[in-house]
Structures are given as structure tokens and as C-alpha cells.
Amino acid sequence: MMASTSWHTEAPGPCNQPPASPTLPVPADTGLSMAEAQRLQRYHDRLLCAIAARDRAALREAKQGILQAAYWPAAANTGSPAWRRAVRTLSWQMAALLLPRGRH
């Protein structure tokens, strides 16, 4: 069984640093609360970091987290309708993200 990695306990690196400029959506424009916007940004950042690191396991874990947040039955009771719409949009955008197989 593979151990789950924590995004907060990894060694410092460019993907573990806060973004240089704010990239969060403005809650008034999207209907998201600031906490929801930050949570959505963390999901997005995990995807980008996994792609930048070319880490298949991290990419799969990030994608699974988004799918759980978007489609599991418990997801229907958490967050606002704007949150559910935003995370489902992100799930469709990330659906085609794959890393090419490396040659060993």
C-alpha cells in the first residue's frame, strides 16, 4: 500500500511556497467566499506542482482529491453552489492532464 504524501510536510521548494502575486479569484466576482476561493486555489496549485515536478503519483493524488471534492455524496453538503460549480469546472479542466511515460 502506498503512503499518502502531505503537501505541507514536503521539503521546501518552488511549489511549496506561497505564490508571489495573489492568484485567488475575487470572491465578489465568483460568488465564492474567501475560504472557498483559497481552497480552490490550493487544489489548482497541487495540480500545477505535480505537473512541474513530473510526479505521476502526486498528479493522481491531486486529481483524486478534486474528484472527491466535486462528486462524492458528502460534497453536496459542503460549500456553496458557487463552490460546487467551481470545483466541478476544475475537475473537467484537469481531466485530460497526463504526464508522458518516461523511459527507464
Side-chain angles (χ1 to χ4, degrees):
M1 181 180 341
M2 185 185 308
S4 174
T5 60
S6 170
W7 293 96
H8 302 290
T9 59
E10 293 178 1
C15 288
N16 294 332
Q17 301 297 323
S21 62
T23 57
L24 298 174
V26 179
D29 293 344
T30 61
L32 296 173
S33 69
M34 185 56 76
E36 290 172 335
Q38 290 171 340
R39 186 174 171 203
L40 186 66
Q41 185 65 45
R42 283 191 301 269
Y43 280 124
H44 184 259
D45 291 344
R46 287 177 183 170
L47 285 171
L48 294 181
C49 286
I51 291 170
R54 300 183 58 87
D55 185 345
R56 287 177 163 283
L59 181 60
R60 184 179 188 291
E61 184 178 332
K63 290 170 81 172
Q64 288 299 313
I66 291 168
L67 291 173
Q68 288 176 2
Y71 299 106
W72 276 29
N77 298 330
T78 59
S80 65
W83 160 254
R84 290 189 300 273
R85 187 172 44 254
V87 76
R88 286 179 179 168
T89 298
L90 180 60
S91 76
W92 279 101
Q93 292 171 346
M94 64 97 192
L97 294 176
L98 297 173
L99 290 173
R101 293 201 181 267
R103 294 183 183 172
H104 298 286

